[in-house]
Amino acid sequence: MTVPTAPPPAALATGFGVRAAARVVAVPDGRGSTGLPVLEGEGPFALRRLRSAGREARACLVGAMSAPLGGDALALSATVADGAALRFTTTAATIALPGRTGAPAAYDTRLDVGEDAVLRWLPEPLISAGGSDLRMTTRIDLAPSARLVYREEQVLGRAGEDTGRLVTRLTVRRAGRPLFDQELAYGPGAPGWAGGAVLGGYGAVGQLIVVDPAFEERPVERTLLGETAVLT
């Protein structure tokens, strides 16, 4: 796969919010491990290297400022080259907050994983604070032999407050073909989000997506995991 090397654009503060991007590139280092030749971010994105473990490089996102706020446009991308392995975490939850203008915020994540590469994307939860409005999109493109562990958790409102509006879209493609495509909407203006067909009155939701070529030969059986979770 082609590994991009251009740095992200600098953060730009406007009257409508902050425009900022961050990029991570992981490549084999030739010594049986993975290097991070690109680890760059602006504005609220402060990226840090952590101690690697075996083949796996590790990177962590440290929030450098409150974000996303209404009107912000944030973009985060990671490329894991053929044969590389990356574990990505965050130091704290991300909190979507209202801005001054009432405009929605946008948070776009793009992940590309090459042949025989591994990505473990394990951020802390996203909290939708009262009065916020966030549109969050994540697209993951996997090579046929890539492996993925992807976690996302969403908490609707802080203690004692109602949730903001949150619209999320998660798309996973493998070998160029759709593998998983889900859009969810919560909060004011989203019909039925608190009802039995979606959250059933609960205030948080999460999912863990695992993609492994081994499942083609040994599919995982669907299992009910208690009253509020399922393996499928």
Side-chain angles (χ1 to χ4, degrees):
M1 66 187 297
T2 300
V3 178
T5 58
L12 174 63
T14 72
F16 302 99
V18 171
R19 308 293 189 264
R23 297 177 62 249
V24 182
V25 175
V27 301
D29 65 1
R31 302 186 299 274
S33 188
T34 299
L36 299 174
V38 178
L39 191 67
E40 299 176 322
E42 299 288 347
F45 295 118
L47 296 171
R48 300 289 184 265
R49 287 178 172 84
L50 302 179
R51 180 174 295 180
S52 61
R55 174 191 174 196
E56 183 182 74
R58 296 184 173 184
C60 182
L61 174 63
V62 180
M65 56 188 287
S66 295
L69 279 67
D72 289 354
L74 308 178
L76 173 61
S77 68
T79 300
V80 187
D82 298 348
L86 172 66
R87 179 187 180 98
F88 181 90
T89 57
T90 60
T91 58
T94 298
I95 304 178
L97 296 167
R100 296 180 179 178
T101 66
Y107 195 141
D108 298 316
T109 302
R110 174 68 183 266
L111 310 175
D112 292 278
V113 189
E115 295 285 359
D116 297 313
V118 181
L119 174 61
R120 303 180 191 276
W121 194 264
L122 303 169
E124 295 299 309
L126 168 72
I127 300 172
S128 177
S132 65
D133 188 348
L134 175 63
R135 316 296 164 84
M136 193 169 187
T137 59
T138 302
R139 174 167 173 167
I140 306 172
D141 285 287
L142 305 172
S145 58
R147 288 180 289 164
L148 170 73
V149 178
Y150 175 87
R151 180 178 70 200
E152 70 170 21
E153 298 174 278
Q154 292 140 9
V155 179
L156 305 180
R158 295 171 292 189
E161 73 176 6
D162 294 330
T163 182
R165 178 171 172 80
L166 175 63
V167 179
T168 70
R169 176 75 178 272
L170 172 61
T171 304
V172 181
R173 296 174 61 88
R174 180 171 181 261
R177 300 180 62 183
L179 183 65
F180 184 89
D181 195 344
Q182 174 179 276
E183 182 171 294
L184 296 171
Y186 312 106
W193 67 272
V198 186
L199 288 186
Y202 289 94
V205 63
Q207 59 188 348
L208 184 69
I209 297 176
V210 180
V211 181
D212 193 314
F215 295 155
E216 293 181 328
E217 301 295 331
R218 300 185 301 276
V220 177
E221 294 187 5
R222 290 170 290 184
T223 306
L224 185 64
L225 305 174
E227 297 182 356
T228 60
V230 65
L231 174 66
T232 184

